Amino acid sequence: MNEPREPIRTEVHRVADPDATRVASYLAQPGEVGRVLLLYSGGLDTSVMLKWIQDEYEAEVVALTVNLGQPGEDYEVVQGKATRLGAIEAHVVDAREEFAEEYVLPAIKANADYGDGYPLFTALGRPLIAKLAVEYARNTGCDTIAHGCTGKGNDQVRIEGTVATLAPELKVIAPVRSWQMGRDEEIAYARKHGIPVKGGTESAPYSIDDNLWGRSSEGKWIEDLSHAPDDDVFQLVTRPELAPDEPQVVEVEFERGVPVALDGERLPLADLIDRAAEIGCRHGVGIVDHIEDRIVGLKVRDIYEVPAAAILLPAHKELERLVGTIHQNQFKPRLDQQWAYLVYAGLWWEPLRTDIEAYMDAVNERVTGKIGLKLFKGHARVVTRESPHAVYDAQLATFAESGGLFSQQASPGFIEIWSLQSRMAQRVREGNGG
Ligand code: ARG
């Protein structure tokens, strides 16, 4: 990274949003913006933004693109585009490992699932992206961070919440929220300023967000709840009807809650996730058609493709249940749900999250062993389990025998006491006339 430079202050401000700080203290007033760290994806919104910020704020732009393992991205192309559009610096940071170890791993230990089907890949990525934005903004002398989120989504909450929490000295601008350009105007703006628009301009494409833990599609027919998925939305996972006719069994090995090997091959976590995704994709595993309650109040539909999560989460959950007692197993899902909600809701930096993780880490100390899953045409089903810590004794569990630690003769005594309150309540109700 280059030497920090002093931001350049300018006099002329033509930009809308002079009232920004009346809404939130962290929003930038035009006069405060001298050098902007732009979270740059290379797509239409942030490309238009790169130019627009230079023009409207007369500010310098440092572009930052974060690699969280989104498949098929060419970062040199993105970097080159940023430079051509006038960024004074264009950085690409490979954060795959950090994302896997520090964000996805806690999610695995938390069996993370929001609203019955969403494994939180975007929600996990945003706090890391925003944390890196803060680091790069500080190192390159930026006073403001800009992002491409709309005013209707969760992502603005996650990113701005992170910036406000980690860097109270930095300001934020969110041009998409305030510039009131529609897609057609953005394309016109892009044409006028020589910004390449990839994929043509005829119709709006799906709105995609992805990383190594999953991919979401929004927009187009997805907004019509009665419209069943068109095939072209599935760019990652093979449609189950086209998946192989032969099932495949995959074995996931865990040590203390961490997936460490796939089919006996030890792999660093990010690579293991990639490998699991590959296998899942082949067998059509991890397609979720999801209705979701956003934290900003909207109910929306997302199409998710989460092939790695669809293998690793059920495997982890199964092993955790095997080594836990009935009481631990009753308790943990409540914490899982609370954890997922905090993360979904953009509160990654909330101390309750790490408080909960302290318990989860304790439980996961014993989550060591192997789980086999059979993958077949869109389904992943646990078929084998193995753990030195399993709270399981085949001798005790079998129907065949009695005696030793478990005496069947003692069961009626247990049942009589166990059902005591229910029986009493029943008598009382009958006495009260039913
Ligand atoms: N609905 C998911 C979430 O809120 C995915 C959002 C995808 N983000 C996007 N900018 N397309 O986490």
Side-chain angles (χ1 to χ4, degrees):
M1 198 177 299
N2 298 348
E3 281 295 295
R5 304 190 203 172
E6 278 302 300
I8 297 168
R9 302 273 166 193
T10 54
E11 313 286 292
V12 191
H13 315 292
R14 289 169 283 139
V15 75
D17 235 5
D19 295 337
T21 47
R22 271 193 239 150
V23 177
S25 60
Y26 67 78
L27 291 178
Q29 299 252 15
E32 297 173 318
V33 179
R35 184 180 296 162
V36 178
L37 185 295
L38 169 64
L39 283 167
Y40 184 63
S41 71
L44 178 65
D45 284 338
T46 55
S47 294
V48 167
M49 206 176 290
L50 209 170
K51 198 85 193 125
W52 188 86
I53 290 169
Q54 296 172 72
D55 289 351
E56 296 295 318
Y57 286 87
E58 300 191 346
E60 295 176 324
V61 177
V62 174
L64 175 66
T65 305
V66 183
N67 176 358
L68 295 184
Q70 37 283 55
E73 193 71 81
D74 186 334
Y75 293 97
E76 273 177 32
V77 170
V78 175
Q79 195 169 30
K81 194 168 173 184
T83 307
R84 262 200 323 284
L85 294 176
I88 58 164
E89 295 175 32
H91 299 276
V92 174
V93 45
D94 182 349
R96 279 176 297 180
E97 201 124 301
E98 184 177 4
F99 182 53
E101 302 282 347
E102 307 295 330
Y103 294 77
V104 178
L105 180 57
I108 292 172
K109 290 182 180 175
N111 303 306
D113 166 46
Y114 174 75
D116 197 13
Y118 174 41
L120 295 175
F121 53 89
T122 297
L124 293 164
R126 295 308 186 216
L128 172 54
I129 289 171
K131 186 193 82 163
L132 291 166
V134 165
E135 282 171 24
Y136 277 75
R138 285 177 170 162
N139 288 336
T140 57
C142 292
D143 44 56
T144 302
I145 288 175
H147 62 75
C149 305
T150 73
K152 284 191 166 182
N154 298 315
D155 289 330
Q156 55 174 344
V157 183
R158 298 165 181 154
I159 288 178
E160 294 179 20
T162 296
V163 174
T165 303
L166 300 185
E169 83 281 10
L170 291 175
K171 300 284 177 174
V172 171
I173 55 174
V176 175
R177 218 163 39 191
S178 53
W179 67 20
Q180 293 176 339
M181 279 194 266
R183 183 178 152 82
D184 292 344
E185 284 133 304
E186 280 190 49
I187 288 172
Y189 187 98
R191 285 233 178 84
K192 191 168 146 214
H193 292 88
I195 301 166
V197 181
K198 76 173 172 204
T201 58
E202 296 75 44
S203 60
Y206 294 111
S207 162
I208 308 290
D209 188 64
D210 59 357
N211 60 45
L212 54 78
W213 197 228
R215 164 189 165 95
S216 76
S217 303
E218 295 173 338
K220 294 176 76 170
W221 54 263
I222 299 170
E223 291 167 3
D224 175 359
L225 303 190
S226 66
H227 192 119
D230 286 351
D231 292 345
D232 71 347
V233 73
F234 302 114
Q235 295 293 319
L236 195 61
V237 174
T238 307
R239 285 184 290 124
E241 55 268 40
L242 301 180
D245 293 329
E246 286 304 311
Q248 178 177 354
V249 173
V250 57
E251 187 182 67
V252 189
E253 182 171 352
F254 291 86
E255 283 172 10
R256 303 168 159 215
V258 185
V260 293
L262 223 50
D263 287 332
E265 185 182 351
R266 286 187 83 88
L267 293 164
L269 187 58
D271 295 343
L272 186 145
I273 291 170
D274 276 346
R275 184 75 62 85
E278 223 175 275
I279 301 171
C281 280
R282 187 167 347 122
H283 288 279
V285 162
I287 292 176
V288 184
D289 184 338
H290 201 239
I291 298 294
E292 188 164 300
D293 292 306
R294 283 190 188 157
I295 37 178
V296 294
L298 295 170
K299 200 183 282 291
V300 296
R301 182 188 187 194
D302 281 88
I303 302 291
Y304 294 132
E305 294 168 86
V306 291
I311 292 172
L312 298 177
L313 289 179
H316 176 269
K317 202 173 189 174
E318 180 77 6
L319 189 57
E320 191 179 76
R321 268 204 310 259
L322 188 64
V323 303
T325 65
I326 183 172
H327 305 292
Q328 290 175 305
N329 290 343
Q330 292 279 317
F331 184 59
K332 178 71 167 32
R334 295 187 233 159
L335 291 191
D336 291 349
Q337 192 185 3
Q338 184 72 38
W339 191 94
Y341 177 66
L342 285 176
V343 173
Y344 183 81
L347 298 179
W348 180 262
W349 308 99
E350 157 63 45
L352 179 58
R353 176 183 62 86
T354 41
D355 292 353
I356 293 175
E357 283 174 14
Y359 175 79
M360 292 185 170
D361 284 338
V363 167
N364 273 275
E365 278 298 302
R366 311 190 76 72
V367 181
T368 293
K370 295 176 187 169
I371 297 292
L373 299 105
K374 186 182 271 192
L375 313 183
F376 184 60
K377 292 196 185 287
H379 296 280
R381 176 165 53 89
V382 173
V383 289
T384 59
R385 307 122 181 108
E386 199 182 310
S387 172
H389 305 303
V391 185
Y392 178 78
D393 182 331
Q395 282 294 316
L396 281 180
T398 182
F399 290 112
E401 292 180 35
S402 183
L405 277 176
F406 197 106
S407 160
Q408 296 196 40
Q409 277 67 48
S411 284
F414 164 73
I415 294 164
E416 185 160 63
I417 292 169
W418 181 241
S419 63
L420 178 58
Q421 285 218 344
S422 307
R423 290 185 289 113
M424 285 170 66
Q426 184 74 12
R427 298 298 102 81
V428 171
R429 276 160 212 216
E430 282 166 5
N432 292 347

